[in-house]
Amino acid sequence: MDFHEPIALADPLERQSLQARVIWGNRIVTVGGGAPVRIQSMTNTDTVDAIGTAIQVKELALAGSEMVRITVNTPEAAQAVPYIRDQLDRMGIDVPLIGDFHFNGHRLLQDFPECAQALSKYRINPGNVGKGDKRDRQFGLMVEAAVRWGKAIRIGVNWGSLDQDLLASLMDENSRRPVPWDAKPVMYRALIQSAMESARLAESIGLAANQIILSCKVSGVRDLIAVYRNLARRCSYPLHLGLTEAGMGAKGAVTSTAALSVLLQEGIGDTIRVSLTPAPGESRTQEVTIAAEILQALGLRTFVPSVTACPGCGRTTSTTFQELTQEIDAFLREKMSVWRELYPGVESLKVAVMGCIVNGPGESKHANIGISLPGTGEAPAAPVFIDGEKRMTLRGDSIAADFQLVVENYIRQRFGASDGQLQDNK
């Protein structure tokens, strides 16, 4: 095969969405319109427990969640929202809060104005706002609250709670076609139509188009991709991506990555959530970490320095490179809360920790700083490459500690002072 043109990634969808603004105090999180793809998450605490909920919101925010959704399902939960907001403000956590409303949101937003004000955004599910003639009226009351308090809304359609009247109507219409569609395309159409009609209704009530975010969530990877490809071509509203349920552990991480990566690579999606089921006792922040890893792997955002490491093979029977990789990764993540302020740009750092001579030197040269550890039977020496050049060789029992010090010195000199020069340690 003869290549006359450079190989490039497929062109993303040329889609320019509106830019929504989610505001709390002096904190403004822009969504869409060229803003970075934002990470969202949701608490699983009882919202009535204001202290416990505030603590989990803080954990999620510190992990990198830029907006956090909380359940608002009862009068007691609505009463707790202002106290949660107050606790967060006292802790210096200015992350915007999203209220998740179903069934009775119209009453809660009317009866508890302090709750309506304390939230930065409302999530409204059109399938759960009422039936028949109550649906538009109760949906309208929630939109009116958003207009009154200057809040954004997300119209979040789920195929598990789809407007049954709309679905039945589309099914009847489909049955009259000369060649009826399969049931799944009808379901896709119902999801998209519910979101679009609800958005138009919200605008007719007085909510600005740039204060509306849409989502059409399903639980299947291929279904999600099909729905969002169609939705993206039919509107300019910012889009929130996520599976309704991804599952636990590796299954949840892989499923979310498979679905979101395809869409994000095509230029579809302005906010994301990985709806991961945590194992008993596992931190809720795992879903935030995976969302950040997806965005960083795609080159859409950088959050922490990346660590490249080989998987190991028969040449690397020693666990040294595994231990060093783990130590360096944990070290970089731990320091980022401080380094992000001291060393702007440090999140773009690329580190390589390789286990033998096969790919070690090559991968290390591609990183900002890399080390090639000795494999089985190789000389007990570890060359270190800095910005593509071999700069030193580490030996002895303190290779791990010495390399960590080299990394820290590199960061300090590369990102801390523009005129700093890295000194050779040969």
Side-chain angles (χ1 to χ4, degrees):
M1 185 178 292
D2 187 16
F3 295 105
H4 297 287
E5 299 292 337
I7 299 173
L9 295 173
D11 291 334
L13 178 69
E14 293 297 328
R15 181 179 188 271
Q16 185 66 31
S17 62
L18 299 168
Q19 187 170 89
R21 291 156 57 89
V22 180
I23 303 171
W24 176 253
N26 294 324
R27 176 81 184 277
I28 300 175
V29 177
T30 53
V31 177
V37 179
R38 302 298 185 183
I39 296 175
Q40 294 190 32
S41 56
M42 186 175 184
T43 59
N44 61 356
T45 56
D46 182 353
T47 305
V48 175
D49 177 8
I51 299 298
T53 300
I55 289 172
Q56 191 175 83
V57 171
K58 177 182 178 180
E59 292 171 351
L60 292 167
L62 292 178
S65 184
E66 293 160 294
M67 289 174 276
V68 179
R69 184 158 46 115
I70 61 176
T71 298
V72 187
N73 59 337
T74 64
E76 292 77 16
Q79 288 177 318
V81 170
Y83 295 100
I84 295 169
R85 180 72 268 172
D86 182 62
Q87 287 297 321
L88 292 169
D89 293 342
R90 289 172 182 269
M91 293 187 289
I93 303 299
D94 61 356
V95 65
L97 291 178
I98 304 168
D100 192 57
F101 294 99
H102 296 270
F103 309 111
N104 60 353
H106 58 290
R107 290 201 303 271
L108 296 177
L109 287 170
Q110 278 192 315
D111 295 348
F112 300 95
E114 295 87 357
C115 168
Q117 292 178 71
L119 295 168
S120 297
K121 186 172 77 169
Y122 311 150
R123 185 282 176 111
I124 306 174
N125 183 340
N128 287 339
V129 296
K131 297 182 180 296
D133 59 356
K134 291 183 179 180
R135 189 187 76 86
D136 286 355
R137 180 173 58 83
Q138 293 177 176
F139 177 83
L141 289 172
M142 299 180 75
V143 173
E144 288 173 1
V147 173
R148 182 180 310 119
W149 303 112
K151 309 298 182 180
I153 68 169
R154 171 162 69 92
I155 297 172
V157 184
N158 279 6
W159 73 349
S161 52
L162 193 53
D163 183 336
Q164 293 302 300
D165 291 338
L166 173 61
L167 181 59
S169 173
L170 293 179
M171 287 293 189
D172 288 343
E173 178 185 319
N174 185 55
S175 68
R176 295 191 292 271
R177 295 177 185 274
V179 181
W181 298 349
D182 292 336
K184 190 164 282 188
V186 179
M187 178 76 76
Y188 295 166
R189 181 182 170 190
L191 286 161
I192 294 169
Q193 189 166 323
S194 176
M196 296 292 292
E197 289 181 353
S198 298
R200 285 193 287 267
L201 178 57
E203 286 194 62
S204 72
I205 293 169
L207 190 66
N210 65 358
Q211 287 298 86
I212 298 172
I213 298 167
L214 299 186
S215 67
C216 289
K217 288 191 173 184
V218 298
S219 56
V221 171
R222 296 179 70 180
D223 296 315
L224 191 83
I225 293 169
V227 168
Y228 273 91
R229 281 174 172 167
N230 280 275
L231 179 61
R233 285 168 169 79
R234 286 169 169 76
C235 73
S236 59
Y237 300 109
L239 301 180
H240 170 71
L241 304 185
L243 295 165
T244 50
E245 308 93 9
M248 295 183 71
K251 187 267 183 185
V254 170
T255 302
S256 292
T257 302
L260 300 186
S261 295
V262 170
L263 292 167
L264 291 167
Q265 183 62 35
E266 294 179 1
I268 300 170
D270 301 290
T271 74
I272 64 171
R273 184 197 172 197
V274 174
S275 299
L276 197 67
T277 305
E282 183 180 47
S283 172
R284 188 71 164 178
T285 59
Q286 183 68 7
E287 67 175 48
V288 180
T289 300
I290 293 172
E293 291 288 356
I294 291 171
L295 294 178
Q296 184 150 330
L298 290 171
L300 296 175
R301 296 186 67 179
T302 52
F303 299 94
V304 296
S306 65
V307 180
T308 299
C310 66
C313 66
R315 298 178 65 96
T316 57
T317 54
S318 168
T319 60
T320 302
F321 84 96
Q322 297 166 325
E323 294 163 358
L324 180 56
T325 301
Q326 188 176 48
E327 289 175 13
I328 289 296
D329 189 66
F331 171 70
L332 294 172
R333 290 180 183 277
E334 179 186 347
K335 293 287 189 178
M336 275 304 293
S337 60
V338 175
W339 285 352
R340 193 173 283 111
E341 299 297 325
L342 292 178
Y343 308 124
V346 67
E347 63 274 5
S348 65
L349 179 73
K350 297 183 184 302
V351 179
V353 180
M354 306 302 292
C356 78
I357 199 170
V358 173
N359 290 320
E363 288 286 355
S364 296
K365 289 178 182 178
H366 288 303
N368 296 116
I369 181 168
I371 186 170
S372 178
L373 294 166
T376 304
E378 294 175 9
V384 174
F385 296 82
I386 296 174
D387 292 330
E389 297 181 3
K390 181 180 175 181
R391 302 290 291 274
M392 67 194 76
T393 298
L394 302 180
R395 294 181 173 85
D397 296 330
S398 61
I399 286 178
D402 292 343
F403 183 65
Q404 187 167 302
L405 181 61
V406 171
V407 171
E408 191 161 15
N409 286 338
Y410 179 89
I411 289 171
R412 185 180 301 111
Q413 296 181 45
R414 165 79 182 271
F415 299 100
S418 60
D419 59 348
Q421 297 295 317
L422 187 66
Q423 298 298 316
D424 289 350
N425 292 315
K426 295 183 179 179

